Amino acid sequence: GSNPQLEDTAPRIVQHPTDVLVSKGEPATLSCKAEGRPPPVMEWYKDGERVETDREDPRSHRTLLPGGSLFFLRILHGRRGKPDEGVYVCVARNYLGEATSRNASLEVAGE
């Protein structure tokens, strides 16, 4: 009994992130799930710039969860800047192609 060879497929986003309103200092999650074979690599972009997570910088307050969602331990927001506020998209890639999610905006409440 040989298994039928499963065909590789390009990524597709099956769960898109949605807009989030967070209080500063609170945790937040931007959800994203993608399917594909081989399983796609997930990356996040904020306002067009690649988001660094604790994979690149262990001290980062942003974690890429195993499913591909982006988790913020606490939303950073200070007088000098709003490093987490912006428009995010998630991109899923494998060798067959890439899929980009819809835009989701993260806003910090108050202030």
Side-chain angles (χ1 to χ4, degrees):
S2 64
N3 292 345
Q5 193 53 49
L6 288 167
E7 284 197 25
D8 286 353
T9 56
R12 69 186 186 95
I13 307 278
V14 292
Q15 183 186 1
H16 291 266
T18 53
D19 294 351
V20 199
L21 181 63
V22 206
S23 304
K24 85 174 181 196
E26 293 293 306
T29 305
L30 287 167
S31 301
C32 190
K33 270 202 184 76
E35 287 175 352
R37 189 183 304 277
V41 172
M42 311 290 274
E43 283 188 326
W44 284 87
Y45 291 83
K46 170 169 112 58
D47 302 329
E49 300 262 312
R50 191 161 174 274
V51 172
E52 287 215 338
T53 63
D54 58 358
R55 295 195 174 182
E56 291 88 17
D57 177 1
R59 293 186 313 275
S60 174
H61 68 294
R62 291 180 292 243
T63 300
L64 187 61
L65 299 178
S69 297
L70 185 62
F71 176 69
F72 299 82
L73 293 172
R74 62 192 177 283
I75 292 300
L76 298 184
H77 193 74
R79 254 160 290 174
R80 289 191 305 280
K82 309 176 179 183
D84 292 325
E85 221 170 49
V87 176
Y88 289 79
V89 296
C90 121
V91 179
R93 282 195 184 90
N94 67 15
Y95 79 98
L96 284 170
E98 63 178 58
T100 304
S101 73
R102 293 195 285 270
N103 288 353
S105 65
L106 188 150
E107 276 187 65
V108 180
E111 310 258 350

